[in-house]
Amino acid sequence: HDHPSSLTGPRGAMGRVLLVRHGETDGNRKKVLQLPSTPLNANGHGQAAKAARRIARDFAVTEIICSDLQRTQDTAAPLVKATNLTPTLSELLQERSFGDLRGQPFEFLARNNIQPFDPSYSPPGGESVPEFHVRAERAWEVVLERASALATDQVLAVVTHGLVLDALVKKHVQIPVEAQLAKVIAFKNTSLTFVDTNAEPDLDGRFPLVDELFNDDSHLEDEDRDPTFNKVLSSI
């Protein structure tokens, strides 16, 4: 008797998944909870161009799916140009919504003892952690669905946001233990994480990394990176 569920039946071969965080924005530099409309800044556009060159050279990307927010579309743009692919935009890949807190500096939140990343905190007008995780699960289902339509030597590029990546990799990818234990993984701007969705997942349903490529921004030079990156994240 054949089980209809993909969990119990044999998994079909599928392409691999390249997870990409967006490039730098002024919101990143100024340490504020981002507004949905925030574009990349000049440095972020430079980072995106370098990431696109690396991805086009080293990864056989045949499909791009992208959060529909401005900063992720800006990040995908040079890759779209390099590959001549039309990206699919998805609301499911948007950053977690912090509602009324968006646009507030982290410093203001800390001063008022608001801990936006605390698991029990629900931002007014935004998504609670459980609501966000439900959406991230739906996003992952879409990613796997897209990857399953690709050949094993093809790659689906997924351009999204730090907290989405945090939620996805902790649940679905075999990552280094210190990342698994981090309150929030500090995904670097335009970092790449390469997931072997064509491999058998482990008993927890987690897929291995390809060549241990995780949160890797080696396409950037030191001057391309924000020197204060992760100083703030680790303090809230």
Side-chain angles (χ1 to χ4, degrees):
H1 177 66
D2 283 340
H3 289 281
S5 163
S6 61
L7 295 175
T8 50
R11 288 178 61 255
M14 61 168 86
R16 290 165 168 174
V17 172
L18 183 67
L19 301 172
V20 186
R21 185 184 176 224
H22 64 79
E24 183 183 286
T25 67
D26 283 341
N28 291 151
R29 275 276 165 162
K30 291 175 182 158
K31 312 300 173 223
V32 299
L33 273 183
Q34 306 254 29
L35 294 162
S37 56
T38 306
L40 295 189
N41 60 20
N43 192 53
H45 282 291
Q47 292 174 335
K50 289 184 175 182
R53 276 200 294 275
R54 177 186 180 188
I55 295 167
R57 184 189 68 217
D58 295 347
F59 301 89
V61 171
T62 55
E63 190 173 351
I64 302 167
I65 184 169
C66 179
S67 151
D68 63 352
L69 298 186
Q70 188 63 49
R71 57 192 184 270
T72 32
Q73 292 197 55
D74 288 351
T75 303
L79 180 62
V80 166
K81 201 170 171 189
T83 56
N84 227 357
L85 297 167
T86 305
T88 302
L89 300 181
S90 173
E91 294 177 2
L92 291 174
L93 288 167
Q94 285 184 9
E95 186 56 293
R96 180 183 167 196
S97 170
F98 285 97
D100 301 349
L101 297 185
R102 291 183 294 196
Q104 294 291 351
F106 287 137
E107 185 199 18
F108 167 85
L109 300 174
R111 236 188 5 249
N112 289 278
N113 202 23
I114 297 168
Q115 296 174 307
F117 303 125
D118 187 280
S120 63
Y121 180 75
S122 286
E127 290 176 296
S128 68
V129 169
E131 286 167 338
F132 172 59
H133 282 166
V134 167
R135 177 163 66 80
E137 278 309 288
R138 287 172 56 210
W140 183 248
E141 283 165 17
V142 169
V143 165
L144 286 187
E145 201 176 286
R146 294 280 175 154
S148 67
L150 301 182
T152 55
D153 60 347
Q154 295 177 328
V155 174
L156 168 66
V158 180
V159 186
T160 184
H161 305 265
L163 294 177
V164 178
L165 293 169
D166 178 79
L168 294 182
V169 303
K170 280 177 176 166
K171 184 150 188 203
H172 298 291
V173 184
Q174 297 166 31
I175 56 174
V177 71
E178 66 274 14
Q180 190 69 45
L181 296 173
K183 188 159 77 167
V184 178
I185 299 169
F187 277 97
K188 297 175 272 203
N189 288 120
T190 69
S191 67
L192 308 182
T193 296
F194 197 20
V195 185
D196 194 356
T197 38
N198 190 47
E200 279 298 321
D202 67 13
L203 293 175
D204 294 320
R206 292 192 173 101
F207 293 98
L209 292 165
V210 181
D211 300 330
E212 296 185 14
L213 195 73
F214 176 71
N215 195 12
D216 183 290
D217 69 349
S218 58
H219 48 278
L220 301 182
E221 308 292 329
D222 271 345
E223 60 266 26
D224 300 323
R225 299 183 176 105
D226 177 355
T228 64
F229 177 76
N230 196 26
K231 301 280 190 295
V232 177
L233 198 60
S234 56
S235 69
I236 48 178

